[in-house]
Amino acid sequence: EKGGYPSFMLKEIAEQPRAVADTLLGRIGPEGTLTLDEIRIPARELREIDKVVIVACGTAFHSGLIAKYAIEHWTRLPCEVELASEFRYRDPILDARSLTVAISQSGETMDTLMALRHAREQGSRVLAICNTNGSTIPRESDAVLYTHAGPEIAVASTKAFLTQLVACYLVALYLAQARGNKDPEGIRSVIRDLAGVPGAIERVLAGMEPVRELARSLADQDTVLFLGRHVGYPVALEGALKLKELAYMHAEGFAAGELKHGPIALVDRGLPVVVVVPSPQGEPLLHGKIVSNIQEIRARGARTVVIAQEGDTEVVPYADHLISVPATPALLQPLVTTVPLQVFACALATARGNEVDQPRNLAKSVTVE
Ligand code: M6R
């Protein structure tokens, strides 16, 4: 049932190009058009929405953090993202013009379900992004966009995360088209670029041996830090979460701009720091800033593991280990930069003798508080 792989997690990591392709299937047309019939909210009502609120837990929350950048950029709608466990006990300001998006692989996470009910009670419309047909969260939502990752057995989420991201991008692009965007050709071009993502993930997967080797060499470390900016920041959080749950190591993700506000004090000789670098063309300003951050931590002795776009020569002098990923539009970059972090965590956990499919203390679906 593991299809020849030593673990479900490795199988599910390898299945990501297919999972992403399946989630796009039938939803994007050749001309950069979108067909999302599942979003049963009429176009007139979509135009009236004045705010998007995303609620989720764990890895699904990280996909929501990335979605915020895309939604605000493409739709100009304000977007808040909140941990469902916090949102459900707050007094959120929502009404019939709000769209609440609940993201959940299982569709059964108690906090996310309660957050969704809380949003409905305030009159908000609710859209679920979910991987499990007929589960509770979609049943209680006004509409559902299913991710087509197939069953995810390993406790650590991998292919479900990438497909959640795809679904978030589709919702953002759909809203942009329904509400009108000042650059419709730009929107169509991103939709066309999405079609190339499965191939890009294939290429990342084909070059993972150095990442596994690096992971094995770090098996005795106590701490790994992850840094990112823009959409790379939630990717850093996701890389750290994967390492915690699989390798049982101290791992933290930071926004690189926060370094001088505290975290740089942690940097000491030999500390591995993974840095997710934005595209030099797509985000030139941020690219320059992160290159300075890499220099700063390296000057303090960090062992830098740099994930950067192919052809990014500027980072080379400061990268102790360079992991290259194919070029994508800036907002789509998490679809390729997350993959090496999954492989890294899985290999490091294995090198430490951990069982990767069933990490200690964790359940696949958290149906209690
Ligand atoms: O089923 P859900 O997407 O609602 O689950 C949310 C989290 O429990 C889940 O993503 C968890 O953080 C994973 N173990 C992360 O790998």
Side-chain angles (χ1 to χ4, degrees), residues 96-280:
R97 299 182 65 180
S98 319
L99 176 67
T100 300
V101 182
I103 309 176
S104 175
Q105 187 285 130
S106 61
E108 302 294 348
T109 299
M110 179 60 78
D111 280 325
T112 309
L113 176 62
M114 291 302 167
L116 172 169
R117 288 185 183 160
H118 194 42
R120 288 195 78 125
E121 279 158 18
Q122 330 287 314
S124 173
R125 300 207 153 267
V126 177
L127 168 69
I129 290 179
C130 185
N131 195 46
T132 311
N133 264 315
S135 54
T136 312
I137 288 171
R139 275 195 277 118
E140 295 204 14
S141 301
D142 296 301
V144 52
L145 189 61
Y146 279 109
T147 50
H148 295 153
E152 194 182 60
I153 309 293
V155 166
S157 187
T158 54
K159 60 178 182 168
F161 175 70
L162 288 201
T163 60
Q164 281 161 355
L165 278 180
V166 168
C168 288
Y169 292 129
L170 290 175
V171 169
L173 294 162
Y174 187 73
L175 282 172
Q177 287 191 331
R179 297 166 56 86
N181 175 283
K182 64 177 183 341
D183 178 19
E185 181 41 38
I187 296 291
R188 281 194 293 273
S189 138
V190 179
I191 295 171
R192 286 192 294 266
D193 284 330
L194 271 172
V197 167
I201 301 172
E202 291 277 8
R203 279 172 53 204
V204 175
L205 287 170
M208 285 296 92
E209 193 42 41
V211 173
R212 286 188 281 270
E213 225 168 86
L214 169 67
R216 288 190 286 268
S217 77
L218 297 177
D220 293 332
Q221 295 285 332
D222 300 319
T223 297
V224 180
L225 300 186
F226 294 78
L227 297 177
R229 277 180 184 265
H230 190 250
V231 289
Y233 166 43
V235 172
L237 297 178
E238 174 61 7
L241 178 62
K242 287 281 98 80
L243 204 58
K244 280 175 216 166
E245 54 179 351
L246 295 164
Y248 318 149
M249 282 168 85
H250 172 228
E252 280 195 76
F254 297 109
E258 277 292 292
L259 265 178
K260 291 193 183 61
H261 301 283
I264 201 161
L266 292 170
V267 177
D268 203 356
R269 197 137 299 279
L271 177 79
V273 184
V274 181
V275 189
V276 184
V277 178
S279 142

